[in-house]
Amino acid sequence: KAKLEKQWYQRRVRGKKKKKKKKKAPLLAPDMITSSSSEKKQGLYDIWGSQANVAEDTKRDPCLPPPVQARAGYKSSDTKLSAVELPHPGTSYNPTFNDHQDLLKDALEVEEKKEKAKLKATRDAAPPIEITEEDYIKEMSIGLNGAASEEEVEEEEEDETEDQVKSAVRRDRKTRAQRNREKAEKLKAEELAKAKLEKQHLHQMNRIKAIQKEIKREEKEMSEQTALRQAKSLENETKPGKYGPGKFLGDDPEFVLPEEVSSSLRKMVNPANNVQERFTSLQKRNLIEVRRKVAPHRKYKLKTVEKWRKKLPEEIDELVKMKRKKKKIKVSE
């Protein structure tokens, strides 16, 4: 037993004296190099990666101003529209028949809406007022035959006084038979009301299926309303906002007539304007406020001056005399 304890003790001491060998990092290809924290400590990370720039940023020149950082709540645009939208398949240089017809249909709807708006503006603009002879006579005869005579006024006053006297007369006292009759009628009316309520309850119990159908119909209507509301909210997310006095009208759809469609790029007719398309895209994404076109105009009024050569010689002589008089007055002062 003593020998076994001695051997166990020696083995334990030998294990402590042994030095731990460090594992060498394996050589990796440039594509396999990563930028984890453990590999950074060993000095093996991609020097061209985004993590390598952090150490360089800390070693900036103290004389230079610090870089401008975007605030936390900064957003470039409050719309979910992409910077470059996918065009309609009908605008291709060699579209299919159905795609081209869909594009022409959309363009026709836009034109029809414009025509309806023009017709509405002309229809609602101050319609002419037509006055007939009967209306004119009625309007001019108001207040001519409306004055009542004195006799009619006196008769109305006498009728009012008679009504007041009749209401003031004391009624005779009711008999016992009359009171019993009124009591019986009152009880009968209450019984009829109770019977009516019971009949209504029974009718409602028999109408359970109809009530369930009404509830289902109301739930269906509510679900349709919520769906419409959600669709409208999604449309508002991609709809341009109002950030100025102008209103975004949108650009007309670009289309080519069936005779102008060609199967080759060389013969293609391009009705689009890239600059205008980019400008409308910026307005649609709420990066530029919508403004109306301002026609060239002059901010100041032109001053008209008559030239000396156009004046008559007599007028010139008078002006010269006036100037000489003014000079003499100044000298004498």
Side-chain angles (χ1 to χ4, degrees):
K1 190 177 181 180
K3 286 181 180 180
L4 290 169
E5 288 177 359
K6 191 175 181 182
Q7 288 175 3
W8 176 78
Y9 181 76
Q10 286 176 358
R11 285 175 186 171
R12 192 176 178 186
V13 171
R14 285 174 190 170
K16 285 183 178 179
K17 288 181 179 180
K18 284 181 181 179
K19 292 181 179 179
K20 292 182 180 180
K21 293 181 179 179
K22 293 182 179 179
K23 289 183 180 181
K24 292 183 179 180
L27 295 172
L28 300 173
D31 298 337
M32 299 294 290
I33 293 172
T34 58
S35 59
S36 61
S37 59
S38 61
E39 290 174 351
K40 278 186 178 181
K41 290 178 182 177
Q42 295 174 6
L44 296 172
Y45 62 91
D46 189 5
I47 60 172
W48 305 110
S50 60
Q51 299 291 335
N53 296 329
V54 176
E56 294 178 3
D57 292 342
T58 56
K59 298 177 182 179
R60 285 196 181 88
D61 191 351
C63 298
L64 294 174
V68 179
Q69 293 181 354
R71 47 202 174 108
Y74 177 76
K75 57 181 180 180
S76 59
S77 177
D78 57 352
T79 182
K80 291 187 178 180
L81 287 171
S82 58
V84 180
E85 296 181 21
L86 291 173
H88 195 279
T91 57
S92 175
Y93 73 95
N94 190 14
T96 61
F97 179 76
N98 293 330
D99 292 340
H100 192 254
Q101 290 296 317
D102 292 341
L103 179 63
L104 293 177
K105 189 178 178 181
D106 295 342
L108 181 63
E109 287 177 358
V110 171
E111 291 296 326
E112 285 178 351
K113 283 182 181 177
K114 287 182 179 179
E115 290 295 327
K116 283 181 181 178
K118 286 180 182 178
L119 289 171
K120 187 179 178 183
T122 53
R123 186 174 64 248
D124 297 343
I129 300 168
E130 296 180 359
I131 300 171
T132 59
E133 292 183 2
E134 294 179 359
D135 296 335
Y136 180 75
I137 292 165
K138 281 182 183 179
E139 189 176 352
M140 298 304 290
S141 62
I142 290 170
L144 295 177
N145 299 323
S149 60
E150 295 180 357
E151 294 177 357
E152 292 177 355
V153 173
E154 289 176 357
E155 287 177 1
E156 288 178 358
E157 289 178 355
E158 288 175 359
D159 293 335
E160 288 178 359
T161 52
E162 286 177 1
D163 293 334
Q164 290 175 2
V165 169
K166 286 179 181 179
S167 62
V169 173
R170 187 175 179 182
R171 292 181 182 179
D172 296 332
R173 192 171 184 182
K174 289 181 182 179
T175 60
R176 187 178 292 176
Q178 288 177 349
R179 287 197 298 271
N180 291 335
R181 197 183 300 115
E182 287 179 358
K183 191 175 182 182
E185 288 176 357
K186 191 176 180 182
L187 290 170
K188 191 176 180 180
E190 288 176 358
E191 288 175 359
L192 287 170
K194 285 181 182 179
K196 192 176 180 180
L197 283 171
E198 288 177 0
K199 192 176 179 181
Q200 286 178 358
H201 288 311
L202 288 169
H203 185 62
Q204 287 178 359
M205 291 290 288
N206 296 327
R207 284 187 71 247
I208 287 172
K209 290 184 179 179
I211 291 166
Q212 287 177 350
K213 286 182 181 178
E214 288 178 2
I215 291 166
K216 285 181 181 178
R217 190 178 69 252
E218 288 177 358
E219 288 177 352
K220 189 178 179 181
E221 289 177 357
M222 288 175 68
S223 63
E224 289 176 356
Q225 287 177 1
T226 52
L228 287 170
R229 207 179 297 115
Q230 288 174 359
K232 194 173 182 181
S233 64
L234 289 171
E235 187 182 352
N236 289 332
E237 287 178 357
T238 58
K239 198 174 181 182
K242 189 174 175 66
Y243 296 100
K247 185 181 178 183
F248 182 76
L249 301 173
D251 50 347
D252 297 333
E254 299 164 358
F255 64 93
V256 179
L257 296 173
E259 304 87 39
E260 298 175 348
V261 176
S262 61
S263 59
S264 64
L265 287 168
R266 292 181 179 179
K267 298 178 182 178
M268 186 178 71
V269 179
N270 187 16
N273 187 356
N274 294 329
V275 177
Q276 184 66 29
E277 191 265 332
R278 286 292 87 205
F279 187 72
T280 52
S281 176
L282 291 170
Q283 289 181 343
K284 199 184 292 184
R285 289 183 286 134
N286 302 328
L287 297 173
I288 295 175
E289 67 175 358
V290 181
R291 293 189 180 184
R292 60 184 179 183
K293 289 183 179 180
V294 180
H297 63 284
R298 189 178 281 106
K299 293 182 180 179
Y300 57 90
K301 291 183 179 180
L302 288 173
K303 187 178 179 181
T304 56
V305 179
E306 192 176 0
K307 292 183 178 180
W308 283 82
R309 69 183 71 175
K310 289 186 178 181
K311 290 183 179 181
L312 297 171
E314 296 174 357
E315 294 178 354
I316 294 169
D317 294 339
E318 288 179 0
L319 290 169
V320 171
K321 288 177 182 178
M322 290 287 290
K323 284 183 179 179
R324 285 176 182 172
K325 284 181 180 178
K326 287 180 181 178
K327 284 182 181 179
K328 286 180 180 179
I329 290 165
K330 285 180 180 179
V331 171
S332 61
E333 289 176 354

